[in-house]
C-alpha cells in the first residue's frame, strides 16, 4: 500500500467517524422537532416519525393565557433577562480582561491567582448566600435579581478573554502610542476590532445562560409563576398528571427556545469572521 492510498484510507475513516458522530449529535434535535409536530398523545411512543403532523402543539403553547402555564410571558421574561445580562456581562468581561491583560498595577498577580482559585469552585456553592443577600435587598422573585446574578457572574469569567487579549501583540499598542493615541483610542480603534471573535463568544455564552439555567432561577423565583423563565416553566409542565398531555407542547417550547439563540448566532457570525480576517491581516 503506497502513501497516497494509505492517506485516502485514513481520510475516509476520519470522514466516516465524523459522519457517525454528527448523526448521533443531530438525532436528539431531529427527534425533538418531529415530536413537537406530533398529533398523537403520549410522552413516549415506539416510533420516531409522527403518524400525523399538526401545529396544534405550538398554537396551544402560544395561545395559553392561563396563569398556570403562561409560556409567552415566560419567553419574554427570559428574553429580557438574556438581553440585559448579555450586554452587562460582555461589557464587564471585556473591560476586566483588557485591563488585566494590558495594564500593570499593584496586586495584579495576586488578584489573578485568587480569581483562578475561585473559578475552581462551582457557582452553586454560593447559591444560598446569594439568595439571602437578594432577600435582604428585597429583590427575590424579580427579573432584576436574575440580571444581577448572571451579570455579576461574569466578573470571574474573564480568563478566556484575557488569554485572547494576550495574543494581540503589544507592538500594536506601542506603535499607536508613538503616533499619539491614548489608551482609550487604542482600546476602541485597535484592540476591539481585532477582538470580535472573543466578543462574539462572550456575548453568546452570556445570552444562552438564562435560557438554560434552572437551579439559580428556581431558587430566586420561588413560586412566582408569572416571573418564571422558560427553563423553570417548561420543567413545571412535566408533572405526573400533565406529562402525557403536555409533552408535545413541552417539545414545542424546547424548539422555540432555540430560535433567539440561533438568530443571534447567525447575526453575530459575520463579526466573528471579520475579526479573524482583520487579525490575520494585522498579523
Amino acid at each position: 500500500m503506497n502513501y497516497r492510498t494509505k492517506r485516502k484510507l485514513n481520510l475516509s475513516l476520519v470522514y466516516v467517524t465524523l459522519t457517525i458522530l454528527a448523526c448521533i449529535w443531530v438525532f436528539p434535535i431531529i427527534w425533538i422537532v418531529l415530536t413537537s409536530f406530533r398529533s398523537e398523545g403520549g410522552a413516549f411512543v415506539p416510533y420516531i416519525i409522527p403518524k400525523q403532523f399538526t401545529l396544534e402543539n405550538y398554537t396551544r403553547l402560544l395561545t395559553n393565557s392561563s396563569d398556570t402555564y403562561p409560556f409567552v410571558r415566560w419567553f419574554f421574561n427570559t428574553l429580557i433577562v438574556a438581553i440585559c445580562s448579555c450586554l452587562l456581562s460582555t461589557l464587564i468581561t471585556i473591560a476586566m480582561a483588557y485591563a488585566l491583560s494590558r495594564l500593570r498595577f499593584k496586586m495584579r498577580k495576586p488578584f489573578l491567582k485568587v480569581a483562578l482559585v475561585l473559578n475552581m469552585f462551582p457557582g452553586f456553592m454560593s447559591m444560598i448566600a446569594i439568595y439571602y443577600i437578594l432577600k435582604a435587598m428585597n429583590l427575590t422573585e424579580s427579573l432584576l435579581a436574575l440580571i444581577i446574578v448572571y451579570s455579576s457572574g461574569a466578573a470571574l469569567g474573564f480568563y478566556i478573554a484575557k488569554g485572547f487579549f494576550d495574543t494581540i501583540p503589544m507592538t500594536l499598542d506601542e506603535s499607536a502610542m508613538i503616533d499619539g493615541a491614548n489608551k482609550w483610542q487604542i482600546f476602541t480603534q485597535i484592540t476591539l476590532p481585532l477582538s470580535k471573535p472573543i466578543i462574539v463568544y462572550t456575548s453568546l455564552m452570556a445570552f444562552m445562560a438564562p435560557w438554560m439555567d434552572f437551579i439559580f432561577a428556581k431558587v430566586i423565583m420561588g413560586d412566582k409563576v408569572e416571573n418564571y423563565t422558560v427553563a423553570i416553566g417548561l420543567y413545571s409542565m412535566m408533572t405526573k398528571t400533565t406529562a402525557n398531555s403536555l409533552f408535545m407542547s413541552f417539545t414545542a417550547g424546547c424548539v422555540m427556545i432555540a430560535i433567539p439563540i440561533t438568530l443571534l448566532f447567525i447575526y453575530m457570525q459575520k463579526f466573528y469572521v471579520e475579526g479573524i480576517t482583520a487579525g490575520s491581516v494585522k498579523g
Side-chain angles (χ1 to χ4, degrees):
M1 184 181 295
N2 56 31
Y3 172 76
R4 183 174 296 179
T5 304
K6 186 177 180 179
R7 186 170 180 273
K8 288 183 178 179
L9 183 62
N10 290 335
L11 284 175
S12 300
L13 183 61
V14 170
Y15 289 144
V16 170
T17 304
L18 291 176
T19 302
I20 294 173
L21 292 175
C23 292
I24 295 173
W25 182 81
V26 172
F27 174 76
I29 301 175
I30 296 175
W31 177 76
I32 289 176
V33 173
L34 290 176
T35 304
S36 68
F37 290 102
R38 175 157 55 89
S39 62
E40 309 91 70
F44 301 101
V45 293
Y47 50 87
I48 298 174
I49 300 177
K51 296 179 180 178
Q52 291 183 346
F53 290 85
T54 181
L55 292 174
E56 185 181 352
N57 301 320
Y58 289 91
T59 304
R60 184 191 308 168
L61 200 65
L62 296 175
T63 58
N64 190 345
S65 59
S66 66
D67 295 333
T68 308
Y69 304 115
F71 178 81
V72 175
R73 185 181 179 91
W74 295 339
F75 187 89
F76 282 104
N77 287 344
T78 314
L79 185 63
I80 292 171
V81 173
I83 292 174
C84 294
S85 60
C86 173
L87 294 175
L88 291 173
S89 297
T90 304
L91 178 63
I92 293 171
T93 302
I94 298 302
M96 286 192 64
Y98 178 79
L100 292 168
S101 174
R102 286 298 194 260
L103 305 181
R104 298 296 181 267
F105 50 89
K106 190 176 181 181
M107 300 298 292
R108 173 180 171 272
K109 290 185 178 180
F111 175 80
L112 289 173
K113 292 178 180 179
V114 171
L116 180 62
V117 172
L118 291 177
N119 275 324
M120 296 179 181
F121 296 94
F124 299 122
M125 291 182 63
S126 60
M127 183 168 54
I128 303 301
I130 290 174
Y131 172 78
Y132 280 107
I133 292 173
L134 294 174
K135 188 176 182 179
M137 299 172 63
N138 199 25
L139 289 176
T140 53
E141 299 184 345
S142 67
L143 298 181
L144 178 60
L146 289 179
I147 295 173
I148 293 174
V149 170
Y150 294 136
S151 301
S152 60
L156 291 177
F158 61 86
Y159 257 94
I160 296 177
K162 178 188 175 299
F164 184 91
F165 285 128
D166 289 341
T167 62
I168 300 177
M170 286 288 292
T171 53
L172 295 177
D173 297 20
E174 295 169 356
S175 299
M177 292 179 69
I178 293 174
D179 293 336
N182 55 37
K183 291 188 180 297
W184 175 252
Q185 291 173 327
I186 294 172
F187 176 65
T188 56
Q189 299 178 20
I190 297 177
T191 307
L192 282 185
L194 295 175
S195 306
K196 289 180 180 178
I198 195 61
I199 294 174
V200 170
Y201 168 80
T202 304
S203 301
L204 284 174
M205 293 299 104
F207 186 82
M208 288 171 59
W211 298 93
M212 299 183 296
D213 179 55
F214 170 79
I215 299 179
F216 262 112
K218 179 61 178 174
V219 170
I220 293 172
M221 287 303 169
D223 296 327
K224 196 167 186 179
V225 178
E226 62 270 21
N227 280 356
Y228 276 3
T229 59
V230 287
I232 314 172
L234 291 177
Y235 179 80
S236 67
M237 295 170 64
M238 292 293 98
T239 62
K240 292 182 180 180
T241 56
T242 61
N244 281 330
S245 59
L246 295 178
F247 184 74
M248 285 70 68
S249 296
F250 169 82
T251 56
C254 295
V255 174
M256 294 187 64
I257 289 175
I259 293 176
I261 299 174
T262 304
L263 292 177
L264 181 66
F265 178 80
I266 293 173
Y267 174 74
M268 299 191 74
Q269 188 178 22
K270 61 181 180 181
F271 298 107
Y272 183 83
V273 175
E274 288 176 3
I276 294 177
T277 304
S280 63
V281 172
K282 288 288 183 180

